[in-house]
């Protein structure tokens, strides 16, 4: 059964190029080897997942592995954490929300849309500064942010996206925010910020390590990690909606937290929660 071809998700407008099916399948083979041999006993069920934009390169791989292991197909919608939260608060039919921080999932808990009293952390994110190899600011370093040649820096909206908030916090901590503010090109979410830098519409971008780690971004550009001491930890959290398919959502979240899956997260630019 070639179920990996049937993976369903909706891509953020203007989002970056995703890993190829062959790449996803290769990674799935590695991940599946570490699974506990769950059978396809659950049949063809679907799980509706709202995922933060930084997970856009990651979810196709995880969804493929999970479907092969359980028979449950993930239907994933991507967007900024703020946008997805608003949609969920307005009644969007979602079973599981994978946010890019704690704050937005907590809003859903506070609205009493979950049985849990707090969001569940599932990974930790990292902020990077990325630029195309042909960018005028190469070789890329943190000092490139204030390079006299730097005229455009892509960044996610701090009001909508946790990675945007982290970027502003970092620039503020480094005491260069006022200097670089006129050069900031603000995107709706971190995936769109990556697209701005990828297309050359911005000379560089403060984006997630998940995006910078994809084969496509590594092929056409380079990045440097932004020191984690300059921004609050990006603790990515999930919530299960009590009006949704709770059993399926709970099973996937537990799978995501298993040692085998957590150990593979660094391959995609995320750190294990433990």
């Amino acid at each position: 059964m070639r179920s990996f071809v049937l993976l369903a998700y909706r891509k953020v407008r203007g989002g970056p190029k995703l890993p190829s099916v062959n790449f996803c399948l290769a990674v799935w083979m590695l991940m599946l080897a570490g699974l506990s041999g769950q059978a396809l006993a659950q049949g063809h069920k679907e799980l509706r997942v709202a995922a933060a934009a930084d997970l856009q390169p990651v979810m196709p791989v995880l969804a493929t592995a999970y479907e092969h292991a359980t028979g449950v197909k993930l239907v994933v919608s991507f967007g900024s954490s703020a946008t997805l939260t608003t949609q969920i608060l307005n009644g969007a039919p979602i079973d599981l929300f994978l946010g890019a921080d704690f704050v937005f999932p907590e809003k859903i808990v506070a609205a009493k849309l979950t049985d849990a009293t707090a969001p569940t952390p599932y990974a930790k994110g990292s902020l990077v500064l990325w630029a195309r190899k042909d960018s005028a600011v190469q070789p890329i370093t943190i000092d490139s942010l204030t390079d006299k040649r730097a005229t455009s820096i892509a960044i996610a909206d701090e009001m909508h996206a946790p990675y945007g908030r982290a970027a502003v916090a970092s620039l503020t901590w480094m005491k260069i925010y006022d200097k670089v503010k006129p050069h900031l090109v603000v995107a709706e979410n971190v995936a769109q910020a990556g697209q701005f830098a990828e297309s050359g519409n911005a000379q560089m971008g403060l984006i997630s390590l998940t995006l910078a780690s994809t084969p496509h971004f590594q092929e056409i550009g380079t990045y440097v990690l932004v020191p984690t001491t300059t921004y609050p930890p990006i603790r990515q959290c999930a919530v299960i909606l009590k009006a949704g398919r709770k059993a399926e959502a709970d099973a996937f979240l537990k799978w995501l937290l298993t040692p085998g899956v957590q150990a593979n997260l660094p391959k995609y630019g995320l750190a294990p929660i433990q």
Side-chain angles (χ1 to χ4, degrees):
M1 179 181 69
R2 298 182 57 172
S3 53
F4 62 87
V5 177
L6 301 177
L7 173 62
Y9 62 90
R10 291 188 289 276
K11 183 180 178 184
V12 169
R13 180 188 301 178
K17 182 178 179 181
L18 294 173
S20 67
V21 170
N22 288 337
F23 171 75
C24 292
L25 185 57
V27 177
W28 161 71
M29 292 291 288
L30 292 174
M31 292 185 64
L32 194 59
L35 297 175
S36 59
Q38 300 177 59
L40 302 179
Q42 297 185 50
H44 294 285
K45 296 182 179 180
E46 287 188 347
L47 178 65
R48 299 163 300 185
V49 180
D54 74 294
L55 297 176
Q56 194 169 310
V58 182
M59 286 305 296
V61 180
L62 295 179
T64 298
Y66 191 69
E67 182 177 352
H68 277 270
T70 67
V72 176
K73 179 180 177 180
L74 272 61
V75 179
V76 188
S77 297
F78 296 102
S80 69
S81 292
T83 297
L84 295 174
T85 297
T86 298
Q87 291 173 354
I88 292 170
L89 292 176
N90 288 334
I94 296 297
D95 304 314
L96 176 68
F97 173 39
L98 297 174
D101 71 351
F102 176 86
V103 175
F104 288 106
E106 171 59 25
K107 291 179 183 293
I108 296 172
V109 173
K112 303 187 185 304
L113 297 180
T114 70
D115 289 326
T117 57
T120 300
Y122 65 87
K124 291 182 287 187
S126 297
L127 186 68
V128 306
L129 180 63
W130 183 93
R132 290 175 57 98
K133 292 177 181 178
D134 59 3
S135 173
V137 297
Q138 287 285 8
I140 192 75
T141 69
I142 292 299
D143 291 336
S144 300
L145 289 164
T146 53
D147 190 304
K148 62 182 180 181
R149 297 168 296 174
T151 59
S152 55
I153 305 165
I155 186 175
D157 188 334
E158 65 172 313
M159 301 304 295
H160 291 176
Y163 280 89
R165 190 186 315 125
V168 170
S170 179
L171 295 172
T172 302
W173 188 94
M174 291 187 283
K175 295 181 171 53
I176 60 173
Y177 179 73
D178 290 338
K179 184 173 183 178
V180 304
K181 185 177 180 180
H183 306 311
L184 297 181
V185 180
V186 180
E188 169 67 17
N189 54 61
V190 72
Q192 190 177 65
Q195 193 275 332
F196 287 168
E198 174 203 26
S199 65
N201 288 325
Q203 293 169 310
M204 53 186 152
L206 285 162
I207 64 175
S208 65
L209 182 57
T210 56
L211 295 173
S213 296
T214 63
H216 176 66
F217 271 66
Q218 291 192 66
E219 179 184 355
I220 69 170
T222 62
Y223 70 87
V224 59
L225 288 168
V226 176
T228 56
T229 54
T230 66
Y231 59 91
I234 302 175
R235 190 165 56 112
Q236 306 204 186
C237 294
V239 287
I240 296 171
L241 281 298
K242 64 182 179 182
R245 299 167 179 138
K246 293 190 292 183
E248 287 83 357
D250 181 66
F252 175 76
L253 185 55
K254 286 179 178 177
W255 175 83
L256 185 57
L257 295 173
T258 58
V261 176
Q262 289 281 302
N264 275 285
L265 292 182
K267 297 177 183 178
Y268 319 121
L270 294 171
I273 199 59
Q274 297 297 336

